[in-house]
Amino acid sequence: MKTTLFAAIGLTLASFCNLALAGPTLDRIEKNGELVNVLMENYPPFSFLNDDNQLDGFDVDVAKAVADKLGVKLRLETPSWDVIAAGRWNGRYDICICSMTPSQARAQVFDFPVTYYASPAVIVVNASDERIHSAKDLSGLKVGVTSASSYEGYLNKDLVIEGAEDKPLEYPFDAVQVAPYDNDTVAFHDLALGAGVRLDAILTNLVTAQPRIDQDKRFKLAGSALYAEPNAVAIEKDDAEWRAKVESVFAELRKDGTLAAISKKWIGSDISQ
């Protein structure tokens, strides 16, 4: 009888300890049976509404793969980028597989357990524009960016990429008129109106810009890439157990080729790290 009682107590304590070690985020995910990923609704080819009005893209597929590894459903939320990047989610979202660049400022509110792909930052201009050939030509001009993005930080000359503090970025331009947008799509619409009509240029990710340039001859790249931009998974700070789990899951996705396959599907090459 005592042996049975002690065994039961032991099992109860073990279960309690496992629950305690799960951490608040992992505990919530397991309890609800779902992973809540936050991303942008209009950031092709990483996240966008397809012809069936369903969210699709590179980040969506990566989030699905993570949920599958965890054995739970995936729920996608699409608030504005300002809300996503501000952090302090208070449990509303579990993870941001959403093409976020880790910066010193963002590291105040996020942990970045995994860098899962990298892509250069580039300048896009109207095809008729002959004024802009490099970043130094942006001085005094109006440049569109996604609000609260790393590109806005770059134009404000205060972007420090987390983990690359020993490689400070160069800012070869004078003051720029920064034009923040909710997403790239609206900025491209304005740039399409002509050089300097509403915008002089857009600063964005090469992977998102190239398909637009290939499909629409009103756009072109100006000069070479500005800087290499790592993109990381973001989670709420100070949840060591959830961080370790995310690292473990992405290690599996790399090892079994899932990340590379998703990258080749959407990008045409493997940009995963």
Side-chain angles (χ1 to χ4, degrees), residues 56-270:
D56 211 347
F58 179 97
D59 283 340
V60 175
D61 278 359
V62 174
K64 287 177 180 176
V66 171
D68 285 345
K69 289 288 187 184
L70 293 172
V72 297
K73 297 182 299 181
L74 175 66
R75 176 157 62 91
L76 299 172
E77 296 287 344
T78 57
S80 69
W81 182 254
D82 292 31
V83 172
I84 295 173
R88 308 190 192 285
W89 299 333
N90 297 318
R92 287 175 295 169
Y93 320 121
D94 302 317
I95 195 168
C96 165
I97 302 170
C98 64
S99 300
M100 183 180 287
T101 299
S103 67
Q104 275 192 338
R106 288 172 177 166
Q108 302 304 308
V109 292
F110 291 113
D111 281 335
F112 298 103
V114 176
T115 297
Y116 67 113
Y117 80 88
S119 179
V122 295
I123 301 168
V124 182
V125 298
N126 189 277
S128 66
D129 199 316
E130 298 299 332
R131 304 166 300 160
I132 304 171
H133 304 283
S134 67
K136 69 178 182 180
D137 298 323
L138 297 178
S139 301
L141 298 184
K142 191 172 184 180
V143 183
V145 293
T146 298
S147 179
S149 66
S150 58
Y151 311 117
E152 184 172 10
Y154 176 79
L155 294 179
N156 289 327
K157 302 185 180 184
D158 61 5
L159 174 62
V160 179
I161 296 176
E162 182 74 1
E165 294 84 355
D166 59 335
K167 299 176 182 177
L169 299 176
E170 295 182 358
Y171 304 107
F173 46 84
D174 296 328
V176 173
Q177 300 178 55
V178 180
Y181 286 79
D182 286 341
N183 55 67
D184 270 2
T185 299
V186 180
F188 271 91
H189 285 163
D190 282 354
L191 186 62
L193 298 176
V197 176
R198 288 186 180 174
L199 282 179
D200 296 294
I202 293 171
L203 186 58
T204 189
N205 186 310
L206 175 62
V207 177
T208 62
Q210 194 64 61
R212 297 179 190 269
I213 294 169
D214 293 342
Q215 296 165 16
D216 194 329
K217 299 308 177 185
R218 292 176 295 178
F219 307 118
K220 66 180 181 182
L221 293 176
S224 56
L226 301 180
Y227 57 92
E229 185 178 50
N231 289 270
V233 174
I235 60 175
E236 291 182 295
K237 282 189 74 67
D238 302 325
D239 190 336
E241 291 77 21
W242 179 223
R243 180 185 181 112
K245 188 64 175 180
V246 171
E247 290 172 345
S248 173
V249 167
F250 271 84
E252 292 179 32
L253 293 175
R254 283 198 180 92
K255 185 176 181 180
D256 66 18
T258 301
L259 273 185
I262 292 171
S263 181
K264 289 173 183 175
K265 172 186 174 182
W266 290 104
I267 313 302
S269 61
D270 185 6

